């Protein structure tokens, strides 16, 4: 069935104590809103409406960065969850299919769970995602009658009997789009909070003879984030799952609890990841690579058999071909390193290409920035760059060329040539011996 997503994210998230809208706080390098969008993507939605209020402009930017086709609906006053859904009415006018309401601050709903809700929609007009809460606290309670969901009662409005119910409302609701907005129109705000509760649509629907049911999921899936402490717990939960998934996929993690993945990290089978490795967004690592301890990778690709680190930093646009070696204290940005090339020690390679089998000596720097513009360094195949070479870009070093250690290379080096660009050495015969004698004599006299 065609589905539209409505993702609520207008709340200000007071308990985050932040200038940034709550739904933009990140888990595993992506805003929690994007996690909710990724969950919803499991239903291949034809439309997605994000309801924003506080910081709507930045919320829109983040949502569109992930999916340019989403629509933003503005809720300028936060009058409750039904009112929030109501703001999506215009965007979804005439949409012939289901609408699914998700919260932007609830990032862990699994695709299987949403699929189960879709399946339940075949037999019921409204499907609510519920969970058995260990500590039901202030959650809305799902009140069943026979085999139907009869109504949802908010904690504030519940009797003691109703509060003793442990089946709780996650907030995720699915219904036919037209039906949903019909029901929303009928919701009032005569309750303890004076808010328009989305949860009221169940009672209204049942009174109209519509059917409603509950699909249950694990409590951990419905984890909502309201504070920095909850954000860090969500991060820990994400990481625990990502580590377990990597291991199940055949990745060796020497000390899993010290490796941090991003929401989109991809690592191939038989890759080894040593302790204290951090992945930022946009990293793919092929099979059989080794990421050694204390390395930081972001927006890069590491091919089969490559070895990275220890203490390496791969920044966006770093692409390592098969069997490349990048060693300690090396930083690589926006650079393609061809098969078998080595950058083993203390180097910065930025805005560059390095050909196959080339060796970049310790302390080499591509001087890519003139203070205004960035320039490119091109190094051919089988090149030997001597230690401590400064490659002042734009510059090209041809195939099988060499540079002498300590050279400042400002002109292109033709293939096969040796470039030496440093002061000539001069040796002064016996000078050291005479100088030492003089100095020691002075020390002995105590002056
Ligand atoms: C809601 C449910 C409750 C459920 C709980 C699960 C209602 C009335 N109650 O309560 O049954 O157990 O979630 O976490 O629906 N939002 C807006 N605009 C608004 C109000 C809220 O966009 O005017 C957004 C918030 O940003 C948030 C979500 O809706 O993402 C839920 O709102 P929140 O105020 O946290 O609802 P709860 O009181 O927790
Ligand atoms: Ca909440």
């Amino acid at each position: 069935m065609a589905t539209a997503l409505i993702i609520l994210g207008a709340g200000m998230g007071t308990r985050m104590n932040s200038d940034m809208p709550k739904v933009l706080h990140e888990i595993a390098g992506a805003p929690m809103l994007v996690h909710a969008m990724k969950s919803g993507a499991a239903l291949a939605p034809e439309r997605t409406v994000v309801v924003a209020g506080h910081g709507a402009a930045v919320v829109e930017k983040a949502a569109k960065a992930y999916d340019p086709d989403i629509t933003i609906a503005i809720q300028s006053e936060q009058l409750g969850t039904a009112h929030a859904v109501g703001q999506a009415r215009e965007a979804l006018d005439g949409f012939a299919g289901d609408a699914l309401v998700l919260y932007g601050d609830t990032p862990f709903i699994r695709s299987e769970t949403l699929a189960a809700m879709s399946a339940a929609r075949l037999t019921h007009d409204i499907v609510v995602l519920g969970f058995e809460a260990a500590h039901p606290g202030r959650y809305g309670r799902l009140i069943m009658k026979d085999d139907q969901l009869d109504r949802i009662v908010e904690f504030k409005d519940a009797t003691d009997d109703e509060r003793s119910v442990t089946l709780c409302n996650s907030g995720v609701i699915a219904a036919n789009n037209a039906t949903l907005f019909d029901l929303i129109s009928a919701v009032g705000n005569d309750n303890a909070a004076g808010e328009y509760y989305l949860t009221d649509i169940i009672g209204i629907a049942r009174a109209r003879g519509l059917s409603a049911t509950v699909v249950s999921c694990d409590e951990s899936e419905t984890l909502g984030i309201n504070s920095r402490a909850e954000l860090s717990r969500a991060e820990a939960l994400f990481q625990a799952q990502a580590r377990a998934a990597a291991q199940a996929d055949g990745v060796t993690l020497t000390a899993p609890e010290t490796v941090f993945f991003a929401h989109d990290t991809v690592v191939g089978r038989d890759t080894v990841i040593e302790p204290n490795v951090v992945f930022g967004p946009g990293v793919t690592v092929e099979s059989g690579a080794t990421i050694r301890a204390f390395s930081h990778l972001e927006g890069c690709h590491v091919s089969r058999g490559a070895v990275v680190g220890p203490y390496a930093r791969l920044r966006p646009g770093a692409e390592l071909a098969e069997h490349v070696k990048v060693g300690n204290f090396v930083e690589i940005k926006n650079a393609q390193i061809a098969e078998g090339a080595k950058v083993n020690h203390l180097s910065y390679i930025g805005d560059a290409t390095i050909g196959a089998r080339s060796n970049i000596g310790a302390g080499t720097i591509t001087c890519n920035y003139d203070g205004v513009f960035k320039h490119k360094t091109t190094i051919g195949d089988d090149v030997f760059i001597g230690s401590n070479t400064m490659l002042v870009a734009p510059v090209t070093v041809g195939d099988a060329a060499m540079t002498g250690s300590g050279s400042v290379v400002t002109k292109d080096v033709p293939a096969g040539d040796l470039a030496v660009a440093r002061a000539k050495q001069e040796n002064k015969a016996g000078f050291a011996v005479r100088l030492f004698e003089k100095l020691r004599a002075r020390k002995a006299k105590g002056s």
Side-chain angles (χ1 to χ4, degrees):
M1 193 183 314
T3 304
L5 298 180
I6 303 171
I7 305 182
L8 304 188
M12 75 167 159
T14 316
R15 284 159 63 199
M16 293 302 284
N17 191 10
S18 175
D19 289 338
M20 186 163 76
K22 174 163 83 170
V23 294
L24 295 192
H25 285 267
E26 293 189 348
I27 297 163
M32 49 177 119
L33 174 65
V34 166
H35 286 268
M37 292 169 77
K38 284 177 82 169
S39 300
L43 299 177
E46 285 186 7
R47 297 196 207 170
T48 298
V49 183
V50 174
V51 180
H54 291 274
V58 274
V59 170
E60 177 170 13
K61 194 163 170 242
K64 288 192 169 164
Y66 178 71
D67 177 359
D69 296 332
I70 63 109
T71 308
I72 283 278
I74 305 291
Q75 187 196 27
S76 33
E77 253 189 307
Q78 278 67 63
L79 302 179
T81 46
H83 181 258
V85 173
Q87 308 312 303
R89 183 188 299 274
E90 205 178 304
L92 296 180
D93 188 35
F95 179 74
D98 263 19
L100 176 84
V101 178
L102 291 173
Y103 291 170
D105 64 357
T106 306
F108 293 131
I109 312 276
R110 292 159 58 235
S111 38
E112 292 85 342
T113 300
L114 295 182
M117 288 183 74
S118 285
R121 265 284 295 130
L122 300 175
T123 51
H124 290 81
D125 294 309
I126 305 187
V127 180
V128 171
L129 182 63
F131 60 101
E132 278 295 336
H135 305 285
R138 304 187 64 82
Y139 285 119
R141 304 299 206 268
L142 302 182
I143 310 297
M144 304 296 294
K145 193 170 177 187
D146 305 324
D147 61 341
Q148 293 279 325
L149 173 62
D150 196 51
R151 64 206 159 83
I152 306 178
V153 56
E154 287 306 294
F155 179 82
K156 277 186 189 165
D157 303 292
T159 63
D160 284 348
D161 256 10
E162 289 166 339
R163 287 180 181 183
S164 70
V165 170
T166 52
L167 183 61
C168 291
N169 175 32
S170 70
V172 181
I173 293 187
N176 169 270
N177 182 59
T179 308
L180 176 71
F181 285 101
D182 269 357
L183 294 167
I184 294 275
S185 302
V187 172
N189 66 347
D190 181 16
N191 53 53
E195 283 183 11
Y196 295 88
Y197 290 161
L198 177 60
T199 46
D200 280 356
I201 67 169
I202 305 301
I204 298 167
R206 296 292 295 130
R208 292 181 182 181
L210 299 177
S211 60
T213 192
V214 176
V215 163
S216 290
C217 69
D218 193 78
E219 187 170 2
S220 61
E221 278 185 61
T222 70
L223 186 78
I225 291 147
N226 300 297
S227 64
R228 309 265 180 173
E230 286 171 3
L231 184 68
S232 65
R233 282 199 283 278
E235 180 76 41
L237 193 69
F238 179 93
Q239 295 302 338
Q241 285 169 359
R243 291 162 190 151
Q247 290 175 308
D249 288 346
V251 178
T252 294
L253 302 178
T254 319
E257 65 287 356
T258 68
V259 173
F260 291 82
F261 292 103
H263 65 106
D264 58 354
T265 309
V266 177
V267 183
R269 218 156 81 102
D270 289 323
T271 281
V272 175
I273 302 176
E274 291 185 357
N276 297 297
V277 170
V278 176
F279 293 94
V283 178
T284 48
V285 180
E286 292 181 8
S287 304
T290 304
I291 312 298
R292 303 202 57 200
F294 296 98
S295 293
H296 189 285
L297 295 79
E298 182 180 9
C300 62
H301 179 77
V302 177
S303 300
R304 187 181 290 268
V307 180
V308 174
Y311 297 97
R313 179 165 184 213
L314 301 186
R315 291 174 51 206
E319 286 176 35
L320 312 192
E322 294 188 8
H323 305 293
V324 160
K325 284 193 173 156
V326 170
N328 43 269
F329 308 109
V330 170
E331 174 179 343
I332 298 189
K333 183 215 75 167
N334 186 32
Q336 295 77 49
I337 319 278
E339 192 170 345
K342 293 178 186 155
V343 191
N344 272 335
H345 330 271
L346 298 152
S347 292
Y348 171 65
I349 304 296
D351 303 313
T353 57
I354 296 178
R357 298 170 302 278
S358 288
N359 186 89
I360 309 299
T364 295
I365 306 284
T366 54
C367 310
N368 60 327
Y369 187 45
D370 58 18
V372 180
F373 296 106
K374 297 280 170 70
H375 300 283
K376 193 174 174 194
T377 301
T378 305
I379 296 172
D381 295 342
D382 302 298
V383 168
F384 183 91
I385 300 289
S387 294
N388 200 35
T389 296
M390 302 292 116
L391 295 156
V392 182
V395 71
T396 297
V397 181
D399 292 345
M402 285 180 140
T403 68
S405 295
S407 289
V408 179
V409 177
T410 55
K411 289 187 287 198
D412 288 354
V413 183
D417 283 9
L418 165 66
V420 183
R422 62 186 184 213
K424 270 222 156 57
Q425 183 170 335
E426 188 189 346
N427 293 337
K428 302 191 177 190
F431 191 96
V433 173
R434 293 196 297 279
L435 182 61
F436 273 134
E437 274 170 4
K438 233 196 235 171
L439 294 173
R440 286 185 187 120
R442 193 187 294 169
K443 192 174 184 190
K445 271 204 280 177
S447 61

